Amino acid sequence: RAMRELNDEQVVVRVQGSGTFVAPQKVQATMIELRNIADEIAARGHAHQSELQLLERVKAGEALARKFGLPAQATLFHSIVVHLENGQPIQLEDRYVNPAVAPDYMRQDFSRLTPNAYLTEVAPLQGVQFMIEACLPPKHVGELLHMAENEPCLLMRRVTRAHGQTATLVALWHPGSRYQLTGGY
């Protein structure tokens, strides 16, 4: 009975024909509020580190421009940041930013400050939409997150609004074996 309860609580994993094993620990994050990942990691008593992979200006194609309510070929800022907890990658953040909302975005040091912390300061949140799905990541995402081939990700796509317009579009990739979203009231 005790083993069944531990299995139900995901403390152990039972594999038929092989035995019972300690389940890999999954990081938990809340969906209820928009939080800075560095703060979540610090609240667990762990060390946060960011690795900036890309920071560029891009011309928006029609679909991306439409999502921002901008004309095609409008300039957007684009960043890719890998967030690590105690040296292990737990999130790849692929973010597009409306320059009208955060004109100094390209001048930030995202190894010291997360994009979320900066944007929260300069563009107070007016609204947010989430879409969450489990999927296999593209090869480059899996490599940056140090994932096994064919390991699923938890992908959260998020659109934020600030100053009366779309501020950001972000895809947050989390290794399925190391991350769990939680929430409640």
Side-chain angles (χ1 to χ4, degrees):
R1 184 177 140 259
M3 291 305 285
R4 186 175 59 247
E5 287 177 12
L6 289 172
N7 185 63
D8 291 345
E9 294 174 14
Q10 299 180 349
V11 174
V12 297
V13 176
R14 291 179 149 177
V15 179
Q16 188 172 354
S18 296
T20 302
F21 306 92
V22 175
Q25 184 178 3
K26 292 185 178 183
V27 175
Q28 293 188 4
T30 181
M31 285 178 24
I32 300 303
E33 60 183 300
L34 191 63
R35 292 186 60 198
N36 181 355
I37 190 165
D39 294 342
E40 287 183 7
I41 291 170
R44 292 191 283 272
H46 295 170
H48 172 264
Q49 180 184 352
S50 294
E51 294 178 352
L52 180 64
Q53 302 294 318
L54 179 72
L55 184 60
E56 65 181 352
R57 286 177 172 81
V58 297
K59 296 291 183 189
E62 284 187 34
L64 190 55
R66 190 171 35 259
K67 290 177 183 177
F68 275 93
L70 298 171
Q73 299 301 305
T75 298
L76 296 172
F77 300 146
H78 181 217
S79 61
I80 297 177
V81 178
V82 175
H83 297 280
L84 298 94
E85 182 168 348
N86 290 341
Q88 184 173 39
I90 63 162
Q91 182 187 81
L92 183 139
E93 170 186 326
D94 187 349
R95 183 183 298 269
Y96 290 90
V97 177
N98 183 340
V101 173
D104 293 328
Y105 188 81
M106 298 292 287
R107 294 188 199 123
Q108 304 309 305
D109 179 358
F110 292 124
S111 65
R112 294 186 323 112
L113 175 74
T114 66
N116 177 275
Y118 169 72
L119 290 164
T120 300
E121 186 177 307
V122 301
L125 190 65
Q126 290 178 321
V128 63
Q129 291 180 307
F130 293 96
M131 194 262 319
I132 301 168
E133 66 180 305
C135 60
L136 291 176
K139 185 176 180 177
H140 73 281
V141 170
E143 289 172 355
L144 288 169
L145 290 173
H146 302 185
M147 295 174 58
E149 191 172 327
N150 294 321
E151 179 182 345
C153 266
L154 186 60
L155 170 60
M156 178 190 305
R157 295 185 191 275
R158 186 172 69 209
V159 179
T160 60
R161 294 191 52 79
H163 302 300
Q165 56 194 313
T166 299
T168 68
L169 292 167
V170 63
L172 302 167
W173 297 86
H174 307 88
S177 64
R178 286 175 268 164
Y179 205 83
Q180 177 179 3
L181 288 172
T182 62
Y185 289 97

